[in-house]
Structures are given as C-alpha cells and as structure tokens.
Amino acid sequence: MKPVMAMMVAAPLLLASGPGTTTDLHHFWEQTCGDCHRHAGEFARKALTVKDGKLQGSHHKDNLLVFLEHHYLPQDLVQPMYDMLLAQAETAPEFKQRCGRCHETAADLARESLELRDGVLTGRDSGRPVAAFLPRHAKLRLTAEETDFFVRLLTRVEREVHSGG
C-alpha cells in the first residue's frame, strides 16, 4: 500500500483525539512507514545518524524535524516520532540480539505485557517490577548495568506504545 493511502487508512484509527487518547508510535510506524522504511529501530540505526544530539538523515542533514513535518506525519506526531527515532538511532540492537528468540520486538513486549505503575515498569499480569525480575529472566544473568539498560529501553518503549512518546 502506498504511504499516503496507508496513512489515510491508519490515521483515523490511530489518531482519535480527545482527553485520554494516545497513539502507539510503533504501530503507527508499522502501518504508515513500514512499507518503505522497514522496522523503525533498524531504519534508525542504518539510515540515520546522530550529530551533536540531533538526528540527521542521509539527504536531510540540516533539519530532519522539518522534513518529518512534510513526510506523511500528522503534526502532533512529528516531535514524538523524531524522539523515538533519535532514541533508536542511539540504542544498540541489544533487545533483538539478546531477547529476539522469544520476543519479536520490544514494542510487542511492551504493548502486551508491560505497564508503568507509579512510574515503575512492571509486568502487567504479575505486577512485579521488571528491574527485579529481569536479571534472572530466561537465564540471561544480566549485570546491574545490563538490567538498567533494558529497563530504560523497555520503559521508553512502553511510553511510546501506550502514551505516544
């Protein structure tokens, strides 16, 4: 499906407006951008760079934000999408490498199984803090530093899928 048509189909479903509504940025990307730009994390790491804290495209070095404003995104998603791509460009693909055997994507995991409770990332069903559960999960034997990395990554992704950034 062409990007403009995909956005016309997906936008009404994803962009309900009003108090308490959110946009799942990863779902929006998959439905609107994914046909041309594959998975958002892979795209960000391969096609974008970060210079002086700013995201750059290979053809849009000066101001990628301005480009995004004119590239199939509703105005209220330009900054959140930019922030998501910036975070992904700066994050190594550790989730895919270490967790990908069991969990398709971090967005799927966050969407289906995680939530923030009083600012703490928890398992939706268990209610247990992910930071306490993760070090021994699936025999990963994560260090404190690795656990912190994954908790920060999954907290960011949880916000991107449940509150639009």
Side-chain angles (χ1 to χ4, degrees), residues 35-144:
D35 283 348
C36 296
H37 301 300
R38 62 192 176 276
H39 180 268
E42 181 183 339
F43 170 77
R45 284 186 290 276
K46 288 185 178 180
L48 303 173
T49 57
V50 179
K51 184 174 181 183
D52 299 327
K54 293 186 180 183
L55 196 58
Q56 295 182 334
S58 57
H59 303 293
H60 305 282
K61 293 188 185 295
D62 294 334
N63 197 336
L64 190 63
L65 208 51
V66 171
F67 172 75
L68 289 176
E69 289 175 357
H70 302 285
H71 193 67
Y72 309 116
L73 285 175
Q75 290 302 304
D76 63 331
L77 291 186
V78 171
Q79 189 66 52
M81 193 65 70
Y82 176 92
D83 293 341
M84 180 183 83
L85 292 170
L86 176 62
Q88 289 174 327
E90 294 179 315
T91 303
E94 290 293 315
F95 184 89
K96 183 176 182 175
Q97 293 169 356
R98 301 209 41 199
C99 311
R101 275 190 27 210
C102 298
H103 303 289
E104 180 101 14
T105 66
D108 288 339
L109 175 62
R111 194 179 290 122
E112 296 164 8
S113 302
L114 303 175
E115 66 184 3
L116 287 171
R117 292 184 186 171
D118 298 320
V120 176
L121 187 67
T122 61
R124 180 174 291 135
D125 293 336
S126 72
R128 290 175 54 198
V130 172
F133 168 76
L134 199 55
R136 291 184 182 81
H137 175 63
K139 300 180 184 178
L140 286 175
R141 304 283 185 226
L142 299 176
T143 66

Side-chain angles (χ1 to χ4, degrees), residues 15-19 21:
L15 300 175
S17 59
T21 59

